[in-house]
Amino acid sequence: MKRKIISAGPTSINEKVLERMVSVSTNPDLDPEYLNFHREVERKYGKLLNTDATSFIVLGEAMIILEGSICSLMDKGDRVLVLSNGVFGAGFADYVDFFGGSAVLYERDHRHGFNIEELREFLEKDHDFQLATMVHCETPTGVTNDIKAIAAELNKYGILSIVDSVSAVGGEYIDFDDFGVDLILGGSQKAISAPTGLSMVTISDRAKEKIKNRKTKVPSYYMNFENYYNYSDPTFAFPYTMNEHLTYALDQALNLVLEKDFVALHKRYADITRKTVVDCGFELYAKDHHSNTLTAVVLPEDVKAQDLLEKMREKNIEISKGAGPMAEKLFRIGHMGNNISYENFDLLFQMLDQSFADLGHPLDKSLRQTFNKYYQEIK
Ligand SMILES: *Cc1c(COP(=O)(O)O)cnc(C)c1O
């Protein structure tokens, strides 16, 4: 029996995506049709962000473009505002440091989305920044920040914005142009539910200008974003050999995403999941700005996340524990991409009922029954 993956990413992958991945045989360096196809996939990806702005695919796990965004966009000596209300947020400060910038960490409570008033007041006093970084959905906590409102504040001072949207793209509504952000970074293995290994960058004209007008050279070849979109010779398409199998898989995964109102589907399962766990006596880790793609739930004092995950794994279901300091105190459910189906969630909650009982902590109210009630009620 195959294990059900209902974790906060990487997600399960649809059979159709896996089939498409191995159904192709070509040489991505030589085949001119492949080049056209690749560009089409990049444009198709842009539909998830409702934009015609340049999007490009980088071969590598999403960390490559988080690092690459700083490496490409930031000049030596730039001051960068690192907005952080979670583990991923603070991580940008390391990249700023590696590449010779000066990071100012704006660290806020991990259980809340950024307060816009507070950010506005901060910026009134200090706005001498060339760039700001932020995370759209903090995967460890299930907080989705209001990046449109944040970008509006940054734009008052001409501060360019880099947004890690790896666990949000596909599951949260994004309008790249209307949001006024400069880079949105996405990954293949979260809500899009393609195999891990591709990452996607969407870039504004303003950000292209910043790269073009750098005082110092981009200190990398592989991570230099300009190599992906600024090709004068149209036959020199890629800075290195692309992985055609992963690109075909991504194309099929995007077809499945675009087939329905994917954001509405995520909203619905997020809503049902939160109501179910709260009704059964659990506490949500996030206090506001709840994510559409995952829910982090606080565990009772006497249950460790590792033990719950093991009990669930025995029942053939993979869920996530917390991350960082909250690793053992939370469990996380990924209502994300291909994980989402009635069958999966009915089984998930049934097995959580059993697992808590196995761990000597039987629940007063059944998660499975509560899920089914809300499944009927919330459309
Ligand atoms: C998954 C994810 C990444 C990529 O990190 P990995 O741990 O390598 O999967 C980056 N940012 C966010 C917000 C993510 O959820």
Side-chain angles (χ1 to χ4, degrees):
M1 194 179 143
K2 270 179 103 173
R3 188 170 290 165
K4 294 233 182 251
I5 299 175
I6 312 181
S7 61
T11 61
S12 60
I13 302 172
N14 192 291
E15 286 297 327
K16 287 181 190 162
V17 172
L18 294 173
E19 278 165 24
R20 184 85 182 286
M21 181 161 75
V22 294
S23 69
V24 188
S25 172
T26 188
N27 179 321
D29 292 327
L30 301 176
D31 179 358
E33 276 176 36
Y34 178 79
L35 175 58
N36 289 334
F37 166 75
H38 191 96
R39 295 289 172 241
E40 257 175 50
V41 179
E42 291 175 334
R43 279 191 291 274
K44 196 179 278 184
Y45 171 77
K47 289 186 187 170
L48 304 191
L49 286 70
N50 292 290
T51 187
D52 295 324
T54 304
S55 291
F56 57 87
I57 298 168
V58 177
L59 185 51
E61 202 278 333
M63 300 310 271
I64 191 82
I65 57 170
L66 303 195
E67 186 162 357
S69 68
I70 296 297
C71 175
S72 293
L73 223 63
M74 189 191 76
D75 230 319
K76 242 194 182 123
D78 276 356
R79 252 181 118 228
V80 182
L81 179 63
V82 176
L83 300 170
S84 167
N85 57 344
V87 174
F88 282 103
F92 273 106
D94 291 332
Y95 304 133
V96 171
D97 193 39
F98 294 159
F99 295 108
S102 161
V104 173
L105 189 63
Y106 181 90
E107 179 74 38
R108 290 296 178 273
D109 193 315
H110 290 195
R111 298 187 76 166
H112 296 274
F114 288 113
N115 179 316
I116 304 303
E117 287 292 317
E118 200 187 352
L119 177 65
R120 185 177 305 143
E121 281 166 24
F122 173 89
L123 287 169
E124 274 165 13
K125 293 191 205 98
D126 186 3
H127 45 256
D128 181 22
F129 299 102
Q130 284 69 51
L131 296 172
T133 63
M134 73 201 80
V135 177
H136 194 179
C137 170
E138 268 290 353
T139 325
T141 57
V143 166
T144 289
N145 289 304
D146 185 350
I147 59 172
K148 180 179 176 176
I150 296 169
E153 297 305 320
L154 297 169
N155 284 332
K156 290 180 187 166
Y157 304 102
I159 303 167
L160 271 61
S161 50
I162 298 175
V163 182
D164 169 356
S165 191
V166 175
S167 62
V169 169
E172 300 281 356
Y173 176 75
I174 301 175
D175 184 325
F176 182 77
D177 305 279
D178 178 50
F179 282 15
V181 292
D182 293 286
L183 276 188
I184 287 202
L185 311 172
S188 53
Q189 79 275 29
K190 302 281 168 79
I192 297 168
S193 295
T196 304
L198 296 181
S199 37
M200 287 75 74
V201 179
T202 307
I203 184 165
S204 72
D205 289 338
R206 234 169 33 155
K208 286 182 182 173
E209 280 299 304
K210 168 110 171 86
I211 297 175
K212 194 168 145 203
N213 297 324
R214 284 175 60 111
K215 295 186 279 295
T216 56
K217 271 175 74 169
V218 175
S220 166
Y221 179 81
Y222 202 100
M223 287 190 287
N224 183 349
F225 287 175
E226 212 170 26
N227 290 336
Y228 294 82
Y229 60 81
N230 195 11
Y231 30 85
S232 41
D233 173 1
T235 61
F236 177 78
F238 310 119
Y240 49 79
T241 302
M242 285 294 155
N243 183 323
E244 74 282 15
H245 298 291
L246 288 178
T247 313
Y248 277 95
L250 176 63
D251 182 58
Q252 183 61 50
L254 291 172
N255 289 343
L256 296 175
V257 170
L258 292 165
E259 206 166 70
K260 42 189 173 254
D261 188 342
F262 220 53
V263 172
L265 180 70
H266 279 75
K267 263 202 186 108
R268 179 173 179 226
Y269 272 80
D271 202 9
I272 296 171
T273 300
R274 287 195 300 267
K275 288 215 164 77
T276 299
V277 295
V278 169
D279 223 12
C280 293
F282 289 95
E283 185 191 355
L284 301 176
Y285 188 66
K287 301 269 197 198
D288 53 46
H289 292 71
H290 297 109
S291 160
N292 273 344
T293 54
L294 74 123
T295 296
V297 186
V298 179
L299 279 164
E301 290 275 335
D302 55 340
V303 179
K304 270 172 63 188
Q306 192 54 41
D307 296 336
L308 177 65
L309 260 63
E310 268 166 33
K311 285 288 167 213
M312 291 297 280
R313 200 171 294 130
E314 281 168 14
K315 299 170 179 61
N316 256 314
I317 297 181
E318 200 74 68
I319 57 170
S320 300
K321 51 185 197 163
M326 298 308 292
E328 292 304 328
K329 295 185 165 63
L330 305 178
F331 70 99
R332 291 179 298 150
I333 298 169
H335 26 82
M336 194 184 256
N338 191 62
N339 291 358
I340 298 175
S341 72
Y342 171 77
E343 293 68 27
N344 276 3
F345 274 70
D346 183 53
L347 191 67
L348 165 75
F349 287 115
Q350 184 191 353
M351 294 306 171
L352 280 170
D353 279 336
Q354 284 186 21
S355 294
F356 279 107
D358 291 351
L359 292 166
H361 202 291
L363 304 176
D364 294 338
K365 199 167 174 180
S366 154
L367 284 163
R368 186 193 191 181
Q369 278 173 21
T370 312
F371 163 73
N372 276 286
K373 176 176 95 96
Y374 284 118
Y375 185 80
Q376 295 304 325
E377 270 176 39
I378 300 169
K379 293 293 168 191

